[in-house]
Amino acid sequence: MHWLLIEGNDAVGRPEKPIPDPASPLGRLAVSLRNGRRGARLSYVQLSERTRSVSPGTLQRAASGAALPKLEVAQAFARACGMDVAEVTRLWHAAYQGSLGGRAASRINAPEPRPDLVKDLPDLGAALEKLRQAKGAPSFRMMQYRARNAGKELSRSTAYRISRGATPTSTDCLEAFLVACEVPPRERTVWFDAWLRAQRQAALARQDADGREDVRQIESVVADTGRGRVSQETAVRMLRRAGFNARERYRHFEAPWTVECMQCAATFRIRLSDVVLVQATCPDCPKLTEHVREAWAELLTNPSGLLSRQVVRALRAATVLPARLQRDHLDVPVFVADRTTLRALQASTWHPALEDALRRHIRRSFILDVLLVHDYDTMAAPRNGQRHRRLAKAAGLVDSPPDTTPGAQEQQSHVKSSARNESTAGREAAAASGAARTTAGSPGSWKPTSNSGA
């Protein structure tokens, strides 16, 4: 047992009780405080006078090793004795961790969160709190101390808000929190990526909210009811004007609506708001036209060998236009530029071959109906035999080059030589009558001919 000399009143006082466990973190803190007081040769009364705010009894209990003092008391004790305040603070934090006992052990053994699974701001807040718990749940004062030692700014209130689900306002704030949780620098990148991902999702959510407000305003403009909503009749009318048929009852301006494309009979879901904003398109229409053109190209190769040369020549002179599939009826319009091709294709003998080619490319049932599109203009073809085809191509109806087959070129050359032998009066009369016929039957007024030849 040791007796200590109390110099405050030059009297020998009672000896201090021994520290219960000098090897424990709390005991090491108490030993450090007692040694500092011995080195300063101060009584607890003198220490209290130096601190100006802590009583002698509180200082004596801080160095007893029986209970953990407040951090402010331990730091004031160290400053009054001229000790290293940072070292005393470190010992205090170690003692605080030791005082948690089994709770700290369970938190340390808890699995750390996966920042790569963070999607939004709530996920980020929950992951940061799990990280703090997995790192031993340090106090907010300790987190502030660790951040300051690393040159970062993290107040106790900020650490508290983050642990309660608030999002760090910047990457600097996030890094300070990670430093306070003792996350190594090599493991912080994934947390920065998670923070950026959550911020982007929050920005998109704000844009979606603004977009919903714009949609509500648009609905109020097109609404035909007193409540600012679109009625069933108006919605169906808008839908049909856009080229779709309703397959179920209209529910809401932003609700998904099952519709059927009037062009290709495909069934899918759209929103009436997309129809109003001209953003609703059929996903199958481009595929249908592509499949029909692939089948047409296959037909021109005559894979079965059942088509005659005259029919194959006529098919190559014709052009397939965008198809239309409606109510299981596949309408394939075929543009023909002259009457010779029309007469060759009016017979339906080549339709089975086309249907076989179509069924190899279109995986659904349909009834084929071929429509021959032509013009009844009888103006002589020698002067501009490809006029109809050029006009249709300029209008976007055809995409194949003009017919340059040898037969057509010979016919055009023969008629040109005949035309040069006509008299001037005959040329004027022919031109006048041709102009009249062109006006009567303009190239834009195409005449459809069904597969029956009617």
Side-chain angles (χ1 to χ4, degrees):
M1 181 176 294
H2 300 281
W3 293 84
L4 299 179
L5 178 65
I6 301 178
E7 300 179 2
N9 52 8
D10 294 332
V12 176
R14 293 178 301 175
E16 290 186 297
K17 293 182 179 180
I19 299 174
D21 187 5
S24 65
L26 182 58
R28 287 194 292 270
L29 174 63
V31 170
S32 176
L33 293 178
R34 288 188 180 187
N35 291 336
R37 189 178 72 87
R38 288 196 194 101
R41 303 182 65 82
L42 296 173
S43 67
Y44 286 110
V45 175
Q46 293 171 333
L47 283 177
S48 177
E49 291 176 353
R50 288 194 177 189
T51 60
R52 298 182 181 180
S53 59
V54 187
S55 66
T58 301
L59 294 172
Q60 187 174 7
R61 284 192 297 272
S64 66
L68 180 68
K70 291 183 178 181
L71 179 60
E72 293 87 349
V73 174
Q75 290 175 342
F77 196 115
R79 280 192 292 268
C81 295
M83 302 171 60
D84 186 357
V85 179
E87 176 64 18
V88 172
T89 303
R90 186 189 65 79
L91 292 174
W92 184 92
H93 285 307
Y96 174 80
Q97 291 293 323
S99 67
L100 295 177
R103 291 180 298 166
S106 62
R107 289 168 179 171
I108 293 175
N109 294 329
E112 294 190 10
R114 297 269 309 271
D116 56 311
L117 300 180
V118 171
K119 296 181 180 179
D120 49 21
L121 295 181
D123 288 351
L124 179 61
L128 289 175
E129 174 57 18
K130 288 181 180 179
L131 174 66
R132 175 177 169 272
Q133 295 294 333
K135 294 298 184 179
S139 66
F140 303 124
R141 189 185 302 275
M142 181 190 298
M143 296 179 70
Q144 182 184 25
Y145 167 75
R146 290 175 179 175
R148 285 183 178 176
N149 281 348
K152 305 294 181 182
E153 288 295 331
L154 181 69
S155 64
R156 287 175 291 173
S157 59
T158 301
Y160 174 80
R161 287 194 299 270
I162 294 176
S163 67
R164 293 300 180 269
T167 305
T169 56
S170 64
T171 54
D172 292 338
C173 182
L174 174 62
E175 186 176 11
F177 189 90
L178 297 177
V179 169
C181 292
E182 297 183 331
V183 177
R186 64 179 179 276
E187 299 179 7
R188 298 173 192 171
T189 304
V190 290
W191 287 100
F192 295 146
D193 295 340
W195 184 86
L196 291 174
R197 190 163 55 250
Q199 292 293 340
R200 292 195 201 99
Q201 195 279 335
L204 292 176
R206 289 191 294 268
Q207 293 178 2
D208 291 342
D210 296 340
R212 286 192 294 270
E213 180 62 27
D214 295 340
V215 167
R216 282 193 291 268
Q217 295 179 2
I218 293 174
E219 183 181 11
S220 63
V221 172
V222 300
D224 58 342
T225 63
R227 296 181 300 173
R229 301 293 180 87
V230 179
S231 63
Q232 169 77 17
E233 294 76 12
T234 303
V236 172
R237 187 167 58 252
M238 289 177 163
L239 195 66
R240 291 187 62 83
R241 190 180 299 121
F244 307 108
N245 285 323
R247 297 298 299 272
E248 64 180 355
R249 186 171 181 81
Y250 168 73
R251 291 178 298 169
H252 191 265
F253 197 66
E254 274 290 283
W257 197 5
T258 303
V259 300
E260 180 185 65
C261 179
M262 299 173 63
Q263 182 74 15
C264 66
T267 302
F268 52 96
R269 308 195 78 185
I270 60 175
R271 292 178 173 85
L272 186 61
S273 59
D274 295 334
V275 174
V276 174
L277 295 175
V278 198
Q279 296 177 352
T281 57
C282 175
D284 290 348
C285 280
K287 298 179 182 178
L288 175 64
T289 302
E290 181 181 356
H291 292 332
V292 170
R293 292 185 177 181
E294 291 174 354
W296 185 265
E298 181 181 337
L299 178 66
L300 296 182
T301 62
N302 193 13
S304 62
L306 300 178
L307 301 179
S308 63
R309 293 182 179 180
Q310 181 182 4
V311 173
V312 173
R313 189 182 301 112
L315 290 174
R316 291 177 178 175
T319 303
V320 63
L321 302 178
R324 176 189 179 100
L325 180 61
Q326 186 175 13
R327 302 299 182 186
D328 295 334
H329 283 265
L330 178 59
D331 297 335
V332 179
V334 178
F335 175 78
V336 292
D338 53 70
R339 285 185 173 275
T340 304
T341 304
L342 175 62
R343 285 192 296 268
L345 298 182
Q346 275 185 336
S348 59
T349 55
W350 57 279
H351 292 179
L354 175 61
E355 185 173 356
D356 293 341
L358 288 171
R359 294 194 185 281
R360 283 191 291 270
H361 292 82
I362 301 177
R363 302 297 183 180
R364 61 174 300 173
S365 59
F366 59 85
I367 300 174
L368 178 61
D369 189 9
V370 179
L371 303 177
L372 299 180
V373 181
H374 60 92
D375 185 38
Y376 282 103
D377 191 348
T378 58
M379 187 175 65
R383 295 167 64 181
N384 48 6
Q386 303 298 324
R387 179 174 64 89
H388 305 308
R389 186 181 294 272
R390 283 196 298 271
L391 292 175
K393 186 175 181 180
L397 295 176
V398 297
D399 56 359
S400 63
D403 187 14
T404 58
T405 58
Q409 293 178 354
E410 293 176 1
Q411 181 182 5
Q412 181 175 356
S413 174
H414 173 70
V415 180
K416 278 186 176 180
S417 61
S418 301
R420 282 194 295 267
N421 297 328
E422 293 181 356
S423 61
T424 304
R427 287 197 302 269
E428 293 178 355
S433 61
R437 283 191 299 272
T438 304
T439 305
S442 61
S445 58
W446 308 113
K447 310 297 191 301
T449 302
S450 66
N451 52 3
S452 61

